[in-house]
Amino acid sequence: MTVVRTAHRDGSGRRARTSRLGRRGTLRGARWIVRSDASRLVSIAAEFLEAEGFERRADGFADTLDSQGSEWSAAALEIGDEEGSRRGIWRSLFLDDLPIPLPRALHHVIPPTLVIVASRHVAKGVAELVVFPHASRRGDSDYSWAAGPRIARALEGITAAAGAEGAMLSHESLRALPDDGSPASQAVVRDVLGWL
């Protein structure tokens, strides 16, 4: 499965934006049981998130898990910017680098949001995939939901891809994730990545 990547129309990485008039909601993740290889699932899920403007973190998260003897394969992806998300509409009018700043002023920089993609083998030829977002306390808390629509599109793409291959055995949407040692859990994200 290959995901075609193009530049996201609302930017990517630290320059990703959302409409100030966008819908509010909560960040959700998902869990799948799929007939596949764990490392392949991590790669596919990461590609869907990258297509939505997320960027892989170069912090050695997967290597850290490996050195700890974890059964999980994982990747950490991030979108948004702490400082940019705190800009008001009037500051955005004058600080953006567009010839006509008004359209961009109506967009808001997404606050930092981390998404962990983790997978492990659960049986021969079967793996569990977990994708779960973590909004940062840094940045504009009024827009902590802003990465939600991008995450939702990536999750829909992952589900459709697994279904198209006939590999999906089960799927569930997640509003919360227990601190059970999974790389996607809040405790691991806080302790290993220092994510606040």
Side-chain angles (χ1 to χ4, degrees), residues 13 22 40 76 80 87 140 174 196:
R40 180 174 180 262
R87 266 194 226 159
D140 187 348
L174 302 171
L196 299 172

Short mmCIF file of all heavy atoms in Angstrom, two decimals, residues 13 22 40 76 80 87 140 174 196:
data_model
loop_
_atom_site.label_atom_id
_atom_site.label_comp_id
_atom_site.label_asym_id
_atom_site.label_seq_id
_atom_site.Cartn_x
_atom_site.Cartn_y
_atom_site.Cartn_z
N GLY A 13 3.57 20.24 9.25
CA GLY A 13 4.55 20.43 10.31
C GLY A 13 4.24 21.64 11.17
O GLY A 13 3.11 21.86 11.58
N GLY A 22 -13.40 26.76 12.38
CA GLY A 22 -13.58 25.31 12.27
C GLY A 22 -14.40 24.71 13.40
O GLY A 22 -14.66 25.33 14.42
N ARG A 40 5.29 -3.10 9.13
CA ARG A 40 4.58 -2.63 7.93
C ARG A 40 3.39 -1.75 8.31
O ARG A 40 3.14 -0.72 7.68
CB ARG A 40 4.11 -3.83 7.10
CG ARG A 40 3.36 -3.43 5.84
CD ARG A 40 3.04 -4.65 4.98
NE ARG A 40 2.33 -4.25 3.79
CZ ARG A 40 1.01 -4.30 3.64
NH1 ARG A 40 0.25 -4.77 4.61
NH2 ARG A 40 0.44 -3.90 2.52
N ALA A 76 6.75 8.33 16.08
CA ALA A 76 6.15 9.53 16.66
C ALA A 76 6.10 10.60 15.57
O ALA A 76 7.11 10.87 14.92
CB ALA A 76 6.97 10.02 17.85
N GLY A 80 2.07 21.23 14.19
CA GLY A 80 1.76 22.43 14.96
C GLY A 80 2.97 23.12 15.55
O GLY A 80 4.09 22.62 15.50
N ARG A 87 -0.53 33.23 18.52
CA ARG A 87 -0.72 34.50 17.83
C ARG A 87 -2.18 34.87 17.70
O ARG A 87 -2.99 34.05 17.32
CB ARG A 87 -0.18 34.41 16.42
CG ARG A 87 1.21 34.86 16.27
CD ARG A 87 1.48 35.04 14.80
NE ARG A 87 2.75 34.42 14.52
CZ ARG A 87 3.13 34.04 13.33
NH1 ARG A 87 2.33 34.18 12.31
NH2 ARG A 87 4.29 33.51 13.15
N ASP A 140 -1.92 27.25 22.15
CA ASP A 140 -3.24 27.80 22.41
C ASP A 140 -4.23 26.69 22.75
O ASP A 140 -4.64 25.91 21.89
CB ASP A 140 -3.71 28.57 21.17
CG ASP A 140 -5.01 29.31 21.39
OD1 ASP A 140 -5.68 29.07 22.42
OD2 ASP A 140 -5.36 30.14 20.53
N LEU A 174 -11.00 5.13 19.74
CA LEU A 174 -10.54 5.34 21.11
C LEU A 174 -10.62 6.81 21.50
O LEU A 174 -10.07 7.67 20.82
CB LEU A 174 -9.09 4.88 21.26
CG LEU A 174 -8.77 3.43 20.93
CD1 LEU A 174 -7.26 3.22 20.93
CD2 LEU A 174 -9.43 2.51 21.93
N LEU A 196 4.46 17.26 27.07
CA LEU A 196 3.55 17.87 28.05
C LEU A 196 2.38 18.48 27.34
O LEU A 196 2.44 19.07 26.35
CB LEU A 196 4.28 18.95 28.84
CG LEU A 196 5.48 18.46 29.64
CD1 LEU A 196 6.22 19.65 30.21
CD2 LEU A 196 5.08 17.51 30.71
#
